[in-house]
Amino acid sequence: MNKNEIIQSLEEDLKSVTKLPDLFNVKAKYLGKKGIVTELTSNMKDLSNEEKKEVGKFASEVRMEVTSRLEKVQQEIENQILEEKLTKESIDISLPAKKISRGSRHPFNRIIEDVEDFFVSMGYDVVDGPEIETDENCFQRLNVPIGHPARDAQDTFYIDSEYLLRTQTSSVQARTMQNNQDKTPIRMICPGKVYRRDDDATHSHQFGQVEGLVVDKDISLADLKGTLELFAKKMLGENTKVRFRPSYFPFTEPSVEVDVSCFKCGGTGCALCKQTGWIELLGAGMVHPHVLEMGGYDPKVWTGFAFGTGLDRLAMFRYEIPDIRYLYTNDMRFLKQFDRKDEENEIK
Ligand code: PHE
């Protein structure tokens, strides 16, 4: 075969090639060990030098031509494969996206943020204190000496005779007064976890409290009343009525218990308020002179009020959560109910 015949026959073979394996077969037929082009030089050893030169030249020309045609076809096939792949894998950006499930703020944190917003807007600082506390800060500096019966009311987890898990955020009252070296006025709240040896539907061994402390000159029970009334309305709705009952806490004198009108029945009586129309919200009172004194504040010059409320109770009231333990079990079915949409329906 001369060069043209070989090329022609190659073109003929390439016509039916659409896939790479077909192409490799054709390639083998021409350039393989026993291929047509390879065969051209098979009897070189029997030729004269002159002939060798000629045949060699001819064979290499044919090989170049064949190779270039094969490469061209291979390139075409590969381009086509790429093209198909791109079309197949293209993304239709007009299709709706897969729904990503979004987290939501825990009801407990939502309550804390709302409480903080309210008090910060009134000029309070938000302070923090340790959960592992000394007996001194949790009890002694709050007028609860060792052996005082009030200790029984707060089933304490003791670590040793000196340290315990704080049973009330009131420990931060003691710390704040003590740490305020310059004895300047104090306006602070402290939200945080507290621990008691309780565990049933309305008590958990761990729960949240927020403490408030104001120390200044000429602070009276009227200031306490005004502040807590505003707070109750902010957290539970404008129509909330507030009532103060005399009570007892070792670190306040006088002490009060603050009730709010039942937001479920509006005060007419229902299961939630046990038919009384009222729900107990928090404990409060004027800071006991002895507590001020232990904190380094002269009770002849300074007065103050303090209050403490359960954050879990607030969350339970506000979101009508029947069992306090739901707040701690991280059940998605429960938590998912507190997505952002829900916030628009919150009592403002
Ligand atoms: N610490 C009290 C409790 O846990 C609540 C309280 C705080 C009462 C501050 C008066 C003043 O029950």
Side-chain angles (χ1 to χ4, degrees):
M1 279 204 277
N2 66 26
K3 185 174 153 189
N4 276 345
E5 282 168 344
I6 296 176
I7 298 301
Q8 228 164 40
S9 132
L10 173 67
E11 292 294 354
E12 203 54 45
D13 286 341
L14 285 176
K15 268 187 194 153
S16 56
V17 167
T18 53
K19 299 211 164 67
L20 282 179
D22 303 338
L23 179 79
F24 294 144
N25 286 339
V26 175
K27 196 172 177 178
K29 177 171 168 190
Y30 290 84
L31 302 178
K33 254 190 183 161
K34 296 223 153 63
I36 294 166
V37 179
T38 319
E39 286 292 314
L40 291 175
T41 50
S42 60
N43 56 353
M44 287 284 261
K45 60 180 187 317
D46 307 325
L47 300 177
S48 69
N49 277 352
E50 203 58 25
E51 284 169 327
K52 266 187 192 153
K53 230 178 168 179
E54 219 159 281
V55 171
K57 191 171 163 235
F58 170 68
S60 97
E61 273 174 20
V62 175
R63 180 172 286 276
M64 265 166 65
E65 182 82 29
V66 169
T67 308
S68 113
R69 294 198 180 217
L70 284 168
E71 273 171 5
K72 198 172 143 244
V73 175
Q74 180 164 350
Q75 194 61 53
E76 280 166 12
I77 296 175
E78 279 171 358
N79 283 349
Q80 204 188 333
I81 291 172
L82 184 66
E83 202 66 38
E84 279 167 14
K85 204 170 159 197
L86 286 177
T87 335
K88 216 164 61 199
E89 290 176 3
S90 72
I91 297 164
D92 181 351
I93 55 165
S94 68
L95 286 174
K98 209 169 144 194
K99 208 168 170 206
I100 297 169
S101 78
R102 202 173 49 166
S104 55
R105 282 194 297 146
H106 194 282
F108 196 76
N109 289 333
R110 283 165 62 161
I111 291 287
I112 292 181
E113 281 171 29
D114 288 352
V115 171
E116 288 181 354
D117 280 354
F118 173 77
F119 283 105
V120 166
S121 78
M122 305 244 293
Y124 285 60
D125 293 328
V126 179
V127 305
D128 210 2
E131 289 168 28
I132 296 176
E133 235 330 337
T134 56
D135 186 281
E136 189 182 341
N137 282 326
C138 197
F139 292 128
Q140 295 171 43
R141 285 178 170 275
L142 294 168
N143 246 357
V144 189
I146 289 162
H148 191 285
R151 286 179 183 240
D152 295 345
Q154 303 191 355
D155 281 326
T156 311
F157 285 114
Y158 279 95
I159 291 163
D160 57 26
S161 58
E162 196 182 342
Y163 288 98
L164 43 79
L165 293 180
R166 69 177 176 196
T167 55
Q168 50 183 358
T169 44
S170 301
S171 55
V172 187
Q173 281 189 39
R175 284 183 170 272
T176 309
M177 282 190 266
Q178 205 175 348
N179 292 346
N180 189 0
Q181 301 285 347
D182 301 334
K183 302 303 165 199
T184 48
I186 295 171
R187 273 177 180 67
M188 73 83 171
I189 56 158
C190 168
K193 295 190 194 93
V194 299
Y195 302 84
R196 292 183 197 179
R197 292 193 282 117
D198 272 334
D199 198 2
D200 62 44
T202 52
H203 296 93
S204 151
H205 61 273
Q206 177 208 298
F207 56 101
Q209 275 193 340
V210 60
E211 192 76 13
L213 174 70
V214 171
V215 178
D216 206 336
K217 289 166 186 160
D218 301 325
I219 295 288
S220 75
L221 197 64
D223 298 307
L224 164 69
K225 209 175 162 201
T227 306
L228 294 181
E229 246 172 39
L230 272 178
F231 174 60
K233 285 180 195 295
K234 169 77 183 173
M235 296 307 289
L236 300 167
E238 269 307 310
N239 299 327
T240 308
K241 286 196 264 315
V242 179
R243 138 181 126 168
F244 290 72
R245 276 186 291 115
S247 184
Y248 171 77
F249 296 103
F251 36 93
T252 47
E253 181 59 38
S255 300
V256 291
E257 203 95 48
V258 182
D259 296 340
V260 287
S261 53
C262 179
F263 36 84
K264 192 144 190 219
C265 63
T268 53
C270 68
L272 183 68
C273 60
K274 301 196 184 84
Q275 311 305 330
T276 63
W278 296 96
I279 285 173
E280 190 185 309
L281 186 66
L282 48 78
M286 301 307 291
V287 183
H288 196 291
H290 191 217
V291 172
L292 283 172
E293 209 163 15
M294 283 188 281
Y297 282 82
D298 180 354
K300 289 193 204 76
V301 181
W302 302 91
T303 47
F305 67 77
F307 56 88
T309 183
L311 289 164
D312 312 71
R313 279 172 76 73
L314 273 176
M316 285 170 81
F317 293 160
R318 186 146 169 179
Y319 303 119
E320 295 188 25
I321 300 165
D323 187 327
I324 193 170
R325 289 167 294 196
Y326 284 141
L327 289 169
Y328 299 104
T329 40
N330 288 335
D331 185 330
M332 290 298 282
R333 292 167 301 178
F334 169 74
L335 294 174
K336 272 208 180 286
Q337 297 171 59
F338 297 91
D339 66 3
R340 282 177 186 115
K341 258 192 293 163
D342 189 57
E343 264 166 58
E344 290 152 22
N345 303 324
E346 264 174 27
I347 311 162
K348 284 270 146 58

